[in-house]
């Protein structure tokens, strides 16, 4: 397991050892903190991280595929604009970024940036990243009177069993 170079305050609802039990494929276990760290804004404080069953179900309420949801909240004193610039650069396809995020360079994905701030007293941006087996959402917010930008990150992973 990788050790982080800077101390972080983690509030985990599941122990890290249990988080390692969920698998996305037959060969790679999904680790909550290893996944969060890939998406972590530089030097952001991390809190309220958790991993849970995504309970993927069909219209008849029957389970379809095993799946998991990972989530965390990060905060930084950096501006919303600086945070958005970082994620625009991170999500630009190139070998270095694909490796950092653990993305297979052959896998297609869509990335959507959306600004819902117009007419509001706070910045509200969403970033959506979708592949065939995952959906990642980042919500970047900051009120005019706040000193920190909040980044809420959630990732849905559909587990590939027997691949």
């Amino acid at each position: 397991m990788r050790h982080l170079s800077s101390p972080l305050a983690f509030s985990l609802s599941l122990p890290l050892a249990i988080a390692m039990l969920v698998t996305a494929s037959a060969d790679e276990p999904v680790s909550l903190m290893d996944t969060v760290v890939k998406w972590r804004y530089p030097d952001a404080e991390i809190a309220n991280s958790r991993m849970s069953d995504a309970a993927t179900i069909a219209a008849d309420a029957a389970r379809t595929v095993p799946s998991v949801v990972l989530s965390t909240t990060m905060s930084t004193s950096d501006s919303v604009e600086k945070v958005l610039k970082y994620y625009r650069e991170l999500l630009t396809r190139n070998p270095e970024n694909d490796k950092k995020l653990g993305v297979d360079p052959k896998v297609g994905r869509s990335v959507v940036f959306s600004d819902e701030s117009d007419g509001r007293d706070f910045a509200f941006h969403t970033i959506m990243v979708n592949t065939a087996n995952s959906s990642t959402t980042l919500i970047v917010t900051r009120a005019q009177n706040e000193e920190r930008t909040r980044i809420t990150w959630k990732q849905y992973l559909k587990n590939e069993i027997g691949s």
Side-chain angles (χ1 to χ4, degrees), residues 21-27 64-67 133 158-163:
L21 296 176
V22 179
T23 58
S25 70
D27 299 327
T64 54
V65 296
S67 54
N133 293 323
K158 180 172 73 172
N159 297 339
E160 297 179 31
I161 305 299
S163 300

Side-chain angles (χ1 to χ4, degrees), residues 66-113:
S67 54
V68 66
V69 173
L70 301 95
S71 63
T72 198
T73 302
M74 300 174 266
S75 67
T76 179
S77 59
D78 287 349
S79 69
V80 168
E81 292 75 21
K82 190 171 181 181
V83 170
L84 292 172
K85 180 181 178 191
Y86 170 80
Y87 284 109
R88 282 188 194 282
E89 290 173 7
L90 178 66
L91 293 168
T92 298
R93 292 305 294 259
N94 64 50
E96 182 180 325
N97 291 345
D98 288 348
K99 183 176 180 180
K100 177 175 173 40
L101 290 173
V103 174
D104 182 338
K106 298 174 193 156
V107 172
R109 70 170 183 218
S110 66
V111 178
V112 178
F113 282 78

Side-chain angles (χ1 to χ4, degrees), residues 52-57 63 67-69 156-157:
S52 62
D53 179 12
T56 305
I57 58 171
R63 282 298 289 245
S67 54
V68 66
V69 173
Y156 165 87
L157 297 172

Side-chain angles (χ1 to χ4, degrees), residues 115-125 144:
D115 180 356
E116 302 300 326
S117 307
D118 191 30
R120 297 180 175 183
D121 293 333
F122 61 94
F124 184 91
H125 296 261
Q144 290 177 355

